[in-house]
């Protein structure tokens, strides 16, 4: 069985992932908050909260602060980022076959032609009971492309807030 996507930790999901080899991708909380902030300004985000942020033209600095400390936006309550991270991310770590730090993954994606990257990705594949395929560089490169996510350069969300760091999107999986 194979699953790809964002999966917040919920105890009722445990039966669904039992028996799967889990690779969990985690981000540094600071870059995670910036990614969450950027997401609200993307036109394809149709959540009430994202719509409210765009409609009221909330400055990015205010939005980042709200995500960090928590508060209310309109009628919706926002939990502090630390609480969200503790509830949604950390419980997966004790169950994971392999934990990947997003920031380290970005470095290795940027140096695919090096032996260091090959060792890194071989360890990732091996942790999931797989051998590194001969075309691993092409697979990793394809999975790291922003268009995998629909975030083509030039889309509105890539130009509205250039002060937020842009990062490649990395597909990840639980296997």
């Amino acid at each position: 069985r194979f699953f790809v996507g964002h999966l917040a930790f919920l105890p009722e999901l445990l039966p669904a992932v039992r028996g799967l080899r889990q690779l969990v991708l985690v981000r540094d909380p600071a870059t995670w908050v910036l990614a969450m902030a950027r997401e609200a300004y993307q036109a394809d985000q149709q959540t009430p909260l994202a719509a409210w942020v765009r409609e009221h033209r909330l400055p990015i600095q205010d939005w980042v602060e709200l995500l960090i400390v928590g508060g209310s936006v309109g009628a919706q309550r926002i939990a502090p980022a630390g609480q969200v991270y503790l509830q949604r991310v950390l419980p997966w770590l004790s169950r994971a076959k392999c934990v990947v730090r997003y920031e380290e993954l970005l470095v290795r994606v940027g140096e695919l032609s090096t032996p260091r990257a090959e060792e890194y990705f071989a360890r990732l594949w091996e942790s999931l009971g797989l051998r590194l395929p001969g075309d691993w560089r092409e697979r990793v490169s394809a999975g790291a492309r922003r268009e995998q996510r629909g975030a083509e350069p030039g889309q509105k969300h890539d130009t509205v807030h250039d002060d937020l760091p842009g990062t490649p999107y990395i597909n990840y999986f639980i296997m």
Side-chain angles (χ1 to χ4, degrees):
R1 294 188 299 165
F2 190 81
F3 170 81
V4 176
H6 293 102
L7 189 60
F9 181 82
L10 297 169
E12 55 269 23
L13 291 175
L14 292 177
V17 298
R18 189 174 296 126
L20 298 179
R21 292 185 186 127
Q22 298 176 24
L23 181 148
V24 176
L25 177 68
V26 294
R27 291 183 84 151
D28 175 271
T31 61
W32 178 69
V33 166
L34 291 176
M36 296 293 290
R38 171 172 249 174
E39 199 171 278
Y41 292 93
Q42 295 177 354
D44 65 343
Q45 291 298 315
Q46 301 302 318
T47 66
L49 190 56
W52 190 95
V53 167
R54 289 191 307 269
E55 181 182 322
H56 290 85
R57 302 178 68 75
L58 190 66
I60 189 68
Q61 295 84 357
D62 295 348
W63 180 230
V64 169
E65 184 177 322
L66 270 171
L67 289 170
I68 292 170
V69 300
S72 295
V73 173
Q76 196 163 4
R77 175 95 178 108
I78 300 170
Q83 179 183 340
V84 174
Y85 202 80
L86 285 170
Q87 291 173 343
R88 293 188 178 180
V89 178
L90 294 182
W92 284 119
L93 298 182
S94 67
R95 292 165 172 76
K97 180 76 173 169
C98 179
V99 176
V100 177
R101 286 184 45 250
Y102 180 79
E103 293 76 16
E104 183 178 2
L105 181 61
L106 289 180
V107 169
R108 300 299 166 250
V109 166
E111 59 183 28
L112 287 179
S113 62
T114 69
R116 188 172 177 176
E118 185 168 357
E119 291 169 14
Y120 176 83
F121 287 103
R123 279 195 317 272
L124 282 183
W125 257 270
E126 287 168 12
S127 73
L128 297 170
L130 303 170
R131 287 187 318 150
L132 188 67
D135 63 348
W136 71 270
R137 287 181 177 89
E138 292 81 19
R139 291 179 185 214
V140 171
S141 180
R145 291 188 197 118
R146 290 185 70 80
E147 55 271 12
Q148 288 289 73
R149 171 176 172 227
E152 294 286 340
Q155 285 184 341
K156 185 176 181 181
H157 63 270
D158 281 337
T159 58
V160 173
H161 296 287
D162 289 333
D163 53 331
L164 288 178
T167 55
Y169 178 75
I170 304 295
N171 281 323
Y172 59 99
F173 54 90
I174 297 174
M175 189 167 172

mmCIF file with all atom_site columns, all heavy atoms in Angstrom, residues 112-128:
data_model
loop_
_atom_site.group_PDB
_atom_site.id
_atom_site.type_symbol
_atom_site.label_atom_id
_atom_site.label_alt_id
_atom_site.label_comp_id
_atom_site.label_asym_id
_atom_site.label_entity_id
_atom_site.label_seq_id
_atom_site.pdbx_PDB_ins_code
_atom_site.Cartn_x
_atom_site.Cartn_y
_atom_site.Cartn_z
_atom_site.occupancy
_atom_site.B_iso_or_equiv
_atom_site.pdbx_formal_charge
_atom_site.auth_seq_id
_atom_site.auth_comp_id
_atom_site.auth_asym_id
_atom_site.auth_atom_id
_atom_site.pdbx_PDB_model_num
ATOM 1   N N   . LEU A 1 112 ? 22.372 16.683 -6.375 1.00 0.00 ? 112 LEU A N   1
ATOM 2   C CA  . LEU A 1 112 ? 22.089 15.310 -6.817 1.00 0.00 ? 112 LEU A CA  1
ATOM 3   C C   . LEU A 1 112 ? 23.266 14.603 -7.479 1.00 0.00 ? 112 LEU A C   1
ATOM 4   O O   . LEU A 1 112 ? 23.333 13.379 -7.460 1.00 0.00 ? 112 LEU A O   1
ATOM 5   C CB  . LEU A 1 112 ? 20.896 15.296 -7.768 1.00 0.00 ? 112 LEU A CB  1
ATOM 6   C CG  . LEU A 1 112 ? 19.538 15.533 -7.132 1.00 0.00 ? 112 LEU A CG  1
ATOM 7   C CD1 . LEU A 1 112 ? 18.447 15.513 -8.196 1.00 0.00 ? 112 LEU A CD1 1
ATOM 8   C CD2 . LEU A 1 112 ? 19.263 14.497 -6.053 1.00 0.00 ? 112 LEU A CD2 1
ATOM 9   N N   . SER A 1 113 ? 24.189 15.348 -8.033 1.00 0.00 ? 113 SER A N   1
ATOM 10  C CA  . SER A 1 113 ? 25.299 14.702 -8.739 1.00 0.00 ? 113 SER A CA  1
ATOM 11  C C   . SER A 1 113 ? 26.431 14.277 -7.810 1.00 0.00 ? 113 SER A C   1
ATOM 12  O O   . SER A 1 113 ? 27.418 13.701 -8.274 1.00 0.00 ? 113 SER A O   1
ATOM 13  C CB  . SER A 1 113 ? 25.842 15.652 -9.814 1.00 0.00 ? 113 SER A CB  1
ATOM 14  O OG  . SER A 1 113 ? 26.336 16.831 -9.203 1.00 0.00 ? 113 SER A OG  1
ATOM 15  N N   . THR A 1 114 ? 26.294 14.504 -6.516 1.00 0.00 ? 114 THR A N   1
ATOM 16  C CA  . THR A 1 114 ? 27.386 14.190 -5.591 1.00 0.00 ? 114 THR A CA  1
ATOM 17  C C   . THR A 1 114 ? 27.213 12.814 -4.938 1.00 0.00 ? 114 THR A C   1
ATOM 18  O O   . THR A 1 114 ? 26.094 12.324 -4.789 1.00 0.00 ? 114 THR A O   1
ATOM 19  C CB  . THR A 1 114 ? 27.471 15.248 -4.470 1.00 0.00 ? 114 THR A CB  1
ATOM 20  O OG1 . THR A 1 114 ? 26.321 15.117 -3.624 1.00 0.00 ? 114 THR A OG1 1
ATOM 21  C CG2 . THR A 1 114 ? 27.570 16.655 -5.046 1.00 0.00 ? 114 THR A CG2 1
ATOM 22  N N   . PRO A 1 115 ? 28.328 12.215 -4.519 1.00 0.00 ? 115 PRO A N   1
ATOM 23  C CA  . PRO A 1 115 ? 28.246 10.948 -3.773 1.00 0.00 ? 115 PRO A CA  1
ATOM 24  C C   . PRO A 1 115 ? 27.479 11.109 -2.459 1.00 0.00 ? 115 PRO A C   1
ATOM 25  O O   . PRO A 1 115 ? 26.787 10.189 -2.027 1.00 0.00 ? 115 PRO A O   1
ATOM 26  C CB  . PRO A 1 115 ? 29.710 10.591 -3.509 1.00 0.00 ? 115 PRO A CB  1
ATOM 27  C CG  . PRO A 1 115 ? 30.493 11.340 -4.529 1.00 0.00 ? 115 PRO A CG  1
ATOM 28  C CD  . PRO A 1 115 ? 29.714 12.583 -4.820 1.00 0.00 ? 115 PRO A CD  1
ATOM 29  N N   . ARG A 1 116 ? 27.593 12.268 -1.845 1.00 0.00 ? 116 ARG A N   1
ATOM 30  C CA  . ARG A 1 116 ? 26.879 12.519 -0.587 1.00 0.00 ? 116 ARG A CA  1
ATOM 31  C C   . ARG A 1 116 ? 25.373 12.398 -0.782 1.00 0.00 ? 116 ARG A C   1
ATOM 32  O O   . ARG A 1 116 ? 24.669 11.811 0.041  1.00 0.00 ? 116 ARG A O   1
ATOM 33  C CB  . ARG A 1 116 ? 27.253 13.907 -0.070 1.00 0.00 ? 116 ARG A CB  1
ATOM 34  C CG  . ARG A 1 116 ? 26.738 14.197 1.295  1.00 0.00 ? 116 ARG A CG  1
ATOM 35  C CD  . ARG A 1 116 ? 27.306 15.495 1.795  1.00 0.00 ? 116 ARG A CD  1
ATOM 36  N NE  . ARG A 1 116 ? 26.749 15.807 3.083  1.00 0.00 ? 116 ARG A NE  1
ATOM 37  C CZ  . ARG A 1 116 ? 27.093 16.818 3.808  1.00 0.00 ? 116 ARG A CZ  1
ATOM 38  N NH1 . ARG A 1 116 ? 28.029 17.646 3.375  1.00 0.00 ? 116 ARG A NH1 1
ATOM 39  N NH2 . ARG A 1 116 ? 26.538 17.046 4.971  1.00 0.00 ? 116 ARG A NH2 1
ATOM 40  N N   . ALA A 1 117 ? 24.859 12.948 -1.883 1.00 0.00 ? 117 ALA A N   1
ATOM 41  C CA  . ALA A 1 117 ? 23.425 12.844 -2.171 1.00 0.00 ? 117 ALA A CA  1
ATOM 42  C C   . ALA A 1 117 ? 23.046 11.394 -2.443 1.00 0.00 ? 117 ALA A C   1
ATOM 43  O O   . ALA A 1 117 ? 22.006 10.920 -1.979 1.00 0.00 ? 117 ALA A O   1
ATOM 44  C CB  . ALA A 1 117 ? 23.057 13.727 -3.359 1.00 0.00 ? 117 ALA A CB  1
ATOM 45  N N   . GLU A 1 118 ? 23.877 10.687 -3.171 1.00 0.00 ? 118 GLU A N   1
ATOM 46  C CA  . GLU A 1 118 ? 23.575 9.282  -3.455 1.00 0.00 ? 118 GLU A CA  1
ATOM 47  C C   . GLU A 1 118 ? 23.511 8.458  -2.166 1.00 0.00 ? 118 GLU A C   1
ATOM 48  O O   . GLU A 1 118 ? 22.600 7.651  -1.982 1.00 0.00 ? 118 GLU A O   1
ATOM 49  C CB  . GLU A 1 118 ? 24.603 8.685  -4.412 1.00 0.00 ? 118 GLU A CB  1
ATOM 50  C CG  . GLU A 1 118 ? 24.255 7.272  -4.825 1.00 0.00 ? 118 GLU A CG  1
ATOM 51  C CD  . GLU A 1 118 ? 25.087 6.772  -5.995 1.00 0.00 ? 118 GLU A CD  1
ATOM 52  O OE1 . GLU A 1 118 ? 25.912 7.532  -6.532 1.00 0.00 ? 118 GLU A OE1 1
ATOM 53  O OE2 . GLU A 1 118 ? 24.889 5.603  -6.370 1.00 0.00 ? 118 GLU A OE2 1
ATOM 54  N N   . GLU A 1 119 ? 24.431 8.692  -1.254 1.00 0.00 ? 119 GLU A N   1
ATOM 55  C CA  . GLU A 1 119 ? 24.403 7.999  0.041  1.00 0.00 ? 119 GLU A CA  1
ATOM 56  C C   . GLU A 1 119 ? 23.131 8.339  0.813  1.00 0.00 ? 119 GLU A C   1
ATOM 57  O O   . GLU A 1 119 ? 22.510 7.465  1.414  1.00 0.00 ? 119 GLU A O   1
ATOM 58  C CB  . GLU A 1 119 ? 25.632 8.383  0.870  1.00 0.00 ? 119 GLU A CB  1
ATOM 59  C CG  . GLU A 1 119 ? 26.935 7.850  0.338  1.00 0.00 ? 119 GLU A CG  1
ATOM 60  C CD  . GLU A 1 119 ? 28.144 8.484  1.031  1.00 0.00 ? 119 GLU A CD  1
ATOM 61  O OE1 . GLU A 1 119 ? 27.971 9.136  2.091  1.00 0.00 ? 119 GLU A OE1 1
ATOM 62  O OE2 . GLU A 1 119 ? 29.255 8.327  0.508  1.00 0.00 ? 119 GLU A OE2 1
ATOM 63  N N   . TYR A 1 120 ? 22.773 9.600  0.801  1.00 0.00 ? 120 TYR A N   1
ATOM 64  C CA  . TYR A 1 120 ? 21.581 10.065 1.522  1.00 0.00 ? 120 TYR A CA  1
ATOM 65  C C   . TYR A 1 120 ? 20.322 9.380  0.988  1.00 0.00 ? 120 TYR A C   1
ATOM 66  O O   . TYR A 1 120 ? 19.531 8.832  1.752  1.00 0.00 ? 120 TYR A O   1
ATOM 67  C CB  . TYR A 1 120 ? 21.475 11.586 1.382  1.00 0.00 ? 120 TYR A CB  1
ATOM 68  C CG  . TYR A 1 120 ? 20.247 12.182 1.996  1.00 0.00 ? 120 TYR A CG  1
ATOM 69  C CD1 . TYR A 1 120 ? 20.186 12.462 3.358  1.00 0.00 ? 120 TYR A CD1 1
ATOM 70  C CD2 . TYR A 1 120 ? 19.138 12.497 1.220  1.00 0.00 ? 120 TYR A CD2 1
ATOM 71  C CE1 . TYR A 1 120 ? 19.059 13.021 3.930  1.00 0.00 ? 120 TYR A CE1 1
ATOM 72  C CE2 . TYR A 1 120 ? 18.006 13.058 1.783  1.00 0.00 ? 120 TYR A CE2 1
ATOM 73  C CZ  . TYR A 1 120 ? 17.975 13.323 3.140  1.00 0.00 ? 120 TYR A CZ  1
ATOM 74  O OH  . TYR A 1 120 ? 16.845 13.874 3.691  1.00 0.00 ? 120 TYR A OH  1
ATOM 75  N N   . PHE A 1 121 ? 20.139 9.410  -0.334 1.00 0.00 ? 121 PHE A N   1
ATOM 76  C CA  . PHE A 1 121 ? 18.934 8.820  -0.914 1.00 0.00 ? 121 PHE A CA  1
ATOM 77  C C   . PHE A 1 121 ? 18.952 7.296  -0.839 1.00 0.00 ? 121 PHE A C   1
ATOM 78  O O   . PHE A 1 121 ? 17.891 6.677  -0.700 1.00 0.00 ? 121 PHE A O   1
ATOM 79  C CB  . PHE A 1 121 ? 18.697 9.342  -2.339 1.00 0.00 ? 121 PHE A CB  1
ATOM 80  C CG  . PHE A 1 121 ? 18.214 10.759 -2.338 1.00 0.00 ? 121 PHE A CG  1
ATOM 81  C CD1 . PHE A 1 121 ? 19.061 11.808 -2.638 1.00 0.00 ? 121 PHE A CD1 1
ATOM 82  C CD2 . PHE A 1 121 ? 16.903 11.055 -1.993 1.00 0.00 ? 121 PHE A CD2 1
ATOM 83  C CE1 . PHE A 1 121 ? 18.627 13.119 -2.594 1.00 0.00 ? 121 PHE A CE1 1
ATOM 84  C CE2 . PHE A 1 121 ? 16.446 12.360 -1.950 1.00 0.00 ? 121 PHE A CE2 1
ATOM 85  C CZ  . PHE A 1 121 ? 17.311 13.400 -2.253 1.00 0.00 ? 121 PHE A CZ  1
ATOM 86  N N   . ALA A 1 122 ? 20.125 6.691  -0.881 1.00 0.00 ? 122 ALA A N   1
ATOM 87  C CA  . ALA A 1 122 ? 20.204 5.236  -0.698 1.00 0.00 ? 122 ALA A CA  1
ATOM 88  C C   . ALA A 1 122 ? 19.713 4.867  0.704  1.00 0.00 ? 122 ALA A C   1
ATOM 89  O O   . ALA A 1 122 ? 18.965 3.897  0.868  1.00 0.00 ? 122 ALA A O   1
ATOM 90  C CB  . ALA A 1 122 ? 21.636 4.757  -0.918 1.00 0.00 ? 122 ALA A CB  1
ATOM 91  N N   . ARG A 1 123 ? 20.115 5.651  1.720  1.00 0.00 ? 123 ARG A N   1
ATOM 92  C CA  . ARG A 1 123 ? 19.638 5.394  3.095  1.00 0.00 ? 123 ARG A CA  1
ATOM 93  C C   . ARG A 1 123 ? 18.123 5.558  3.188  1.00 0.00 ? 123 ARG A C   1
ATOM 94  O O   . ARG A 1 123 ? 17.456 4.780  3.868  1.00 0.00 ? 123 ARG A O   1
ATOM 95  C CB  . ARG A 1 123 ? 20.330 6.328  4.082  1.00 0.00 ? 123 ARG A CB  1
ATOM 96  C CG  . ARG A 1 123 ? 21.708 5.886  4.484  1.00 0.00 ? 123 ARG A CG  1
ATOM 97  C CD  . ARG A 1 123 ? 22.235 6.615  5.712  1.00 0.00 ? 123 ARG A CD  1
ATOM 98  N NE  . ARG A 1 123 ? 21.996 8.046  5.731  1.00 0.00 ? 123 ARG A NE  1
ATOM 99  C CZ  . ARG A 1 123 ? 22.801 8.972  5.212  1.00 0.00 ? 123 ARG A CZ  1
ATOM 100 N NH1 . ARG A 1 123 ? 23.926 8.598  4.637  1.00 0.00 ? 123 ARG A NH1 1
ATOM 101 N NH2 . ARG A 1 123 ? 22.504 10.249 5.280  1.00 0.00 ? 123 ARG A NH2 1
ATOM 102 N N   . LEU A 1 124 ? 17.576 6.572  2.501  1.00 0.00 ? 124 LEU A N   1
ATOM 103 C CA  . LEU A 1 124 ? 16.120 6.767  2.515  1.00 0.00 ? 124 LEU A CA  1
ATOM 104 C C   . LEU A 1 124 ? 15.411 5.555  1.930  1.00 0.00 ? 124 LEU A C   1
ATOM 105 O O   . LEU A 1 124 ? 14.481 5.017  2.531  1.00 0.00 ? 124 LEU A O   1
ATOM 106 C CB  . LEU A 1 124 ? 15.711 8.008  1.715  1.00 0.00 ? 124 LEU A CB  1
ATOM 107 C CG  . LEU A 1 124 ? 15.906 9.356  2.356  1.00 0.00 ? 124 LEU A CG  1
ATOM 108 C CD1 . LEU A 1 124 ? 15.373 10.447 1.441  1.00 0.00 ? 124 LEU A CD1 1
ATOM 109 C CD2 . LEU A 1 124 ? 15.225 9.431  3.696  1.00 0.00 ? 124 LEU A CD2 1
ATOM 110 N N   . TRP A 1 125 ? 15.847 5.131  0.746  1.00 0.00 ? 125 TRP A N   1
ATOM 111 C CA  . TRP A 1 125 ? 15.205 3.980  0.104  1.00 0.00 ? 125 TRP A CA  1
ATOM 112 C C   . TRP A 1 125 ? 15.358 2.739  0.977  1.00 0.00 ? 125 TRP A C   1
ATOM 113 O O   . TRP A 1 125 ? 14.411 1.998  1.171  1.00 0.00 ? 125 TRP A O   1
ATOM 114 C CB  . TRP A 1 125 ? 15.805 3.755  -1.289 1.00 0.00 ? 125 TRP A CB  1
ATOM 115 C CG  . TRP A 1 125 ? 14.959 4.233  -2.430 1.00 0.00 ? 125 TRP A CG  1
ATOM 116 C CD1 . TRP A 1 125 ? 14.026 3.509  -3.097 1.00 0.00 ? 125 TRP A CD1 1
ATOM 117 C CD2 . TRP A 1 125 ? 14.965 5.523  -3.046 1.00 0.00 ? 125 TRP A CD2 1
ATOM 118 N NE1 . TRP A 1 125 ? 13.450 4.266  -4.093 1.00 0.00 ? 125 TRP A NE1 1
ATOM 119 C CE2 . TRP A 1 125 ? 14.005 5.503  -4.089 1.00 0.00 ? 125 TRP A CE2 1
ATOM 120 C CE3 . TRP A 1 125 ? 15.680 6.688  -2.836 1.00 0.00 ? 125 TRP A CE3 1
ATOM 121 C CZ2 . TRP A 1 125 ? 13.759 6.599  -4.898 1.00 0.00 ? 125 TRP A CZ2 1
ATOM 122 C CZ3 . TRP A 1 125 ? 15.422 7.782  -3.643 1.00 0.00 ? 125 TRP A CZ3 1
ATOM 123 C CH2 . TRP A 1 125 ? 14.469 7.732  -4.654 1.00 0.00 ? 125 TRP A CH2 1
ATOM 124 N N   . GLU A 1 126 ? 16.557 2.515  1.494  1.00 0.00 ? 126 GLU A N   1
ATOM 125 C CA  . GLU A 1 126 ? 16.816 1.329  2.319  1.00 0.00 ? 126 GLU A CA  1
ATOM 126 C C   . GLU A 1 126 ? 15.950 1.320  3.580  1.00 0.00 ? 126 GLU A C   1
ATOM 127 O O   . GLU A 1 126 ? 15.500 0.256  4.013  1.00 0.00 ? 126 GLU A O   1
ATOM 128 C CB  . GLU A 1 126 ? 18.298 1.255  2.691  1.00 0.00 ? 126 GLU A CB  1
ATOM 129 C CG  . GLU A 1 126 ? 19.178 0.866  1.524  1.00 0.00 ? 126 GLU A CG  1
ATOM 130 C CD  . GLU A 1 126 ? 20.665 1.068  1.812  1.00 0.00 ? 126 GLU A CD  1
ATOM 131 O OE1 . GLU A 1 126 ? 21.039 1.291  2.986  1.00 0.00 ? 126 GLU A OE1 1
ATOM 132 O OE2 . GLU A 1 126 ? 21.445 1.028  0.847  1.00 0.00 ? 126 GLU A OE2 1
ATOM 133 N N   . SER A 1 127 ? 15.711 2.484  4.161  1.00 0.00 ? 127 SER A N   1
ATOM 134 C CA  . SER A 1 127 ? 14.881 2.537  5.372  1.00 0.00 ? 127 SER A CA  1
ATOM 135 C C   . SER A 1 127 ? 13.456 2.090  5.098  1.00 0.00 ? 127 SER A C   1
ATOM 136 O O   . SER A 1 127 ? 12.728 1.724  6.014  1.00 0.00 ? 127 SER A O   1
ATOM 137 C CB  . SER A 1 127 ? 14.896 3.946  5.966  1.00 0.00 ? 127 SER A CB  1
ATOM 138 O OG  . SER A 1 127 ? 14.127 4.826  5.176  1.00 0.00 ? 127 SER A OG  1
ATOM 139 N N   . LEU A 1 128 ? 13.076 2.100  3.838  1.00 0.00 ? 128 LEU A N   1
ATOM 140 C CA  . LEU A 1 128 ? 11.742 1.664  3.448  1.00 0.00 ? 128 LEU A CA  1
ATOM 141 C C   . LEU A 1 128 ? 11.763 0.263  2.846  1.00 0.00 ? 128 LEU A C   1
ATOM 142 O O   . LEU A 1 128 ? 10.778 -0.194 2.272  1.00 0.00 ? 128 LEU A O   1
ATOM 143 C CB  . LEU A 1 128 ? 11.139 2.659  2.451  1.00 0.00 ? 128 LEU A CB  1
ATOM 144 C CG  . LEU A 1 128 ? 10.926 4.063  3.034  1.00 0.00 ? 128 LEU A CG  1
ATOM 145 C CD1 . LEU A 1 128 ? 10.572 5.060  1.947  1.00 0.00 ? 128 LEU A CD1 1
ATOM 146 C CD2 . LEU A 1 128 ? 9.863  4.037  4.112  1.00 0.00 ? 128 LEU A CD2 1
#
